């Protein structure tokens, strides 16, 4: 494994910690700044909105710069944002720190995925992306308990100091281990578009839009169900509120497994892997809705929900960047699409609850969204077959 991939994974771990740990610190932060729970919650929603904006704006603004240089700048932004949160004297400065740290999130994973795949042979590109995202999935498992543990022992500011230290470690690793031209010169195919106009030209591809749509629907379906899992566990499954934390850790372990297995599988047959991952998630969510009253089934199904939910992530990223000829803006758009899907899924799941359809309704709504993603992905795969056949024939002639 190239050391540059490890450095990118450490960066992903730090960014994931920043995103997730705040959930376990909200009561302390709200008490420290004497703000309401709703105001403290904006430290989460404000972060998510900034991720979606930063993924497009920063990626577009840095399109002509060397990708290693951009990654270094993004991690510096991440460190500054968390440092600002750690020393924040009041709530507005804390919110500003969260926004600054979030701006780098989407661009880091978008540009980082291009850099990661350039560090390995073409037939291992999805696995390389999976390694980079391994940091994010591990942070999903550890983020909330890490924040709660550190916050309880040393105060919530200590958690942000710790994340700042992780950011500095990632910064040193990227500077030392990522080659200067990583991600700029592709291992195969044409050179990636550099200017903003050329980057936007990548969106003329119908395959790019189909992949972005499948990403939004697939993520949205999973997140729409995930957003209300605590209610499903306690109100339907009979679990106590204290059980929710370890159940969500089971889900996080599923994310780690799905990410690594999906990356390896996508290198063998990407479109089939994506279809199987989305179909598996559809079935899992639907069965979860039927068996949510069973404690044993709930544990198994929340794990499978994580596995299938993240198994398609490495393949989706390499698919959209392949069809965009390595355009960094397309990689950033994929991150934004997932966040748009998250918002749509959470809204749709909440609407189902408001209509009085019960605490399993978000699972069925999520299954419907992911089923639509299966249909979109099936169309994309079918339309892509002639192009793949032509590429194989051209390679054989050469």
């Amino acid at each position: 494994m190239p050391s540059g991939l490890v450095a990118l994974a450490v960066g992903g771990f730090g960014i994931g910690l920043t995103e997730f740990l705040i959930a376990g610190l909200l009561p302390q932060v709200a008490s420290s700044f004497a703000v309401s729970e709703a105001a403290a919650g904006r430290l989460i929603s404000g972060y998510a909105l900034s991720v979606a904006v930063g993924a497009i704006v920063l990626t577009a603004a840095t399109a002509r710069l060397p990708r290693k240089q951009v990654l270094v700048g993004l991690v510096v932004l991440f460190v500054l944002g968390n440092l600002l949160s750690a020393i924040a004297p009041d709530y507005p400065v804390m919110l500003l720190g969260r926004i600054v740290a979030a701006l780098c999130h989407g661009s880091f994973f978008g540009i980082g995925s291009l850099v990661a795949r350039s560090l390995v042979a073409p037939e291992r590109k999805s696995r390389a992306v999976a390694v980079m995202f391994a940091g994010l999935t591990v942070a999903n498992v550890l983020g909330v308990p890490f924040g709660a543990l550190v916050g309880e022992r040393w105060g919530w500011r200590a958690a942000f100091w710790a994340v700042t230290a992780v950011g500095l470690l990632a910064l040193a690793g990227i500077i030392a281990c990522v080659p200067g031209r990583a991600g700029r010169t592709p291992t195969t195919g044409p050179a990636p578009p550099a200017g903003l106009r050329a980057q936007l030209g990548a969106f003329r591809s119908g395959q790019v839009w189909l992949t972005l749509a499948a990403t939004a629907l697939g993520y949205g379906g999973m997140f729409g169900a995930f957003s209300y899992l605590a209610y499903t566990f306690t109100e339907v499954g009979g679990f106590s509120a204290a059980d929710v934390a370890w159940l969500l850790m089971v889900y996080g372990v599923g994310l780690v497994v799905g990410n690594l297995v999906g990356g390896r599988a996508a290198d063998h047959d990407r479109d089939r892997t994506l279809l199987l991952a989305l179909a598996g998630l559809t079935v899992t969510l639907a069965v979860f809705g039927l068996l949510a009253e069973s404690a044993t089934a709930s544990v198994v199904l929340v794990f499978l929900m994580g596995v299938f939910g993240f198994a398609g992530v490495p393949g989706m990223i390499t698919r959209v960047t392949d069809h965009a000829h390595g355009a960094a803006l397309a990689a950033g758009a994929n991150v934004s699409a997932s966040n748009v899907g998250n918002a749509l899924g959470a809204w749709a799941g909440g609407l189902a609850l408001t209509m009085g359809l019960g605490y399993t309704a978000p699972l069925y709504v999520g299954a419907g969204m992911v089923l639509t993603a299966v249909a979109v992905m099936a169309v994309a795969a079918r339309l892509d077959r002639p192009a793949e056949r032509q590429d194989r024939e051209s390679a054989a002639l050469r």
Side-chain angles (χ1 to χ4, degrees):
M1 184 188 302
S3 57
L5 275 182
V6 178
L8 291 173
V10 173
F13 176 68
I15 290 175
L17 279 181
T18 299
E19 180 178 13
F20 300 120
L21 66 79
I22 188 66
L25 298 172
L26 279 185
Q28 292 187 42
V29 173
S31 175
S32 178
F33 293 133
V35 297
S36 67
E37 291 84 351
R42 285 194 281 275
L43 296 173
I44 296 177
S45 58
Y47 185 97
L49 180 60
S50 298
V51 169
V53 173
I56 299 297
V57 174
L58 287 185
T59 305
T62 58
R64 290 187 176 274
L65 298 177
R67 287 177 178 166
K68 177 179 179 177
Q69 182 178 325
V70 174
L71 285 176
V72 169
L74 291 172
V75 178
V76 168
L77 194 65
F78 167 79
V79 169
L80 291 176
N82 281 285
L83 180 61
L84 194 59
S85 294
I87 64 175
D90 51 36
Y91 174 79
V93 175
M94 177 70 176
L95 181 58
L96 177 62
R98 293 286 292 168
I99 291 172
V100 170
L103 287 173
C104 77
H105 183 127
S107 292
F108 180 87
F109 284 110
I111 296 172
S113 65
L114 297 174
V115 171
R117 58 182 289 173
S118 74
L119 298 176
V120 299
E123 65 272 13
R124 298 177 64 87
K125 59 189 177 185
S126 292
R127 272 173 279 187
V129 172
V131 169
M132 186 194 71
F133 271 87
L136 177 65
T137 57
V138 171
N140 194 298
V141 178
L142 300 179
V144 174
F146 171 83
L149 177 63
V150 174
E152 181 181 346
R153 294 199 174 188
W154 298 290
W156 66 266
R157 294 183 188 274
F160 285 97
W161 280 113
V163 176
T164 301
V166 173
L168 290 172
L169 180 62
L171 179 62
I174 290 171
I175 292 173
C177 302
V178 174
R181 290 187 60 80
R184 177 56 64 188
T185 305
T187 50
T188 59
L196 179 57
R197 180 174 295 182
Q199 295 262 334
L200 291 172
F203 291 92
R204 287 196 289 266
S205 167
Q207 286 290 342
V208 169
W209 285 105
L210 286 170
T211 309
L212 292 177
T215 295
L217 290 166
Y219 258 99
M222 179 180 70
F223 195 79
F226 173 79
S227 299
Y228 305 99
L229 272 183
Y231 294 104
T232 306
F233 287 139
T234 57
E235 302 298 328
V236 182
F239 291 97
S240 68
D243 291 327
V244 173
W246 69 261
L247 286 166
L248 294 182
M249 288 187 69
V250 171
Y251 167 79
V253 172
L255 294 181
V256 175
V257 174
N259 175 57
L260 297 177
V261 173
R264 180 174 291 273
D267 281 331
H268 291 287
D269 192 329
R270 186 169 59 198
D271 283 357
R272 178 175 294 179
T273 298
L274 295 177
L275 284 168
L276 287 175
L278 291 170
L281 181 58
T282 302
V283 173
T284 298
L285 293 175
V287 174
F288 201 166
L290 293 172
L291 302 181
E293 293 183 359
S294 167
T296 302
S298 293
V299 174
V300 173
L301 289 166
V302 77
F303 172 75
L304 292 177
M305 182 177 162
V307 172
F308 288 117
F310 225 84
V313 170
M316 284 292 189
I317 291 176
T318 57
R319 192 178 202 281
V320 77
T321 50
D322 276 353
H323 285 288
H325 304 298
L329 192 58
N334 195 72
V335 178
S336 289
S338 66
N339 278 272
V340 170
N342 290 351
L344 178 62
W347 172 81
L351 181 62
L353 289 177
T354 303
M355 294 172 64
L357 299 179
Y359 289 109
T360 59
L363 291 164
Y364 294 121
V365 171
M369 289 184 67
V370 183
L371 182 61
T372 307
V374 173
V376 172
M377 191 63 239
V379 171
R382 184 174 182 83
L383 292 176
D384 207 26
R385 284 176 190 167
E388 289 181 347
R389 190 182 306 115
Q390 185 177 359
D391 289 343
R392 286 196 298 269
E393 292 172 352
S394 299
L397 289 175
R398 289 197 297 270

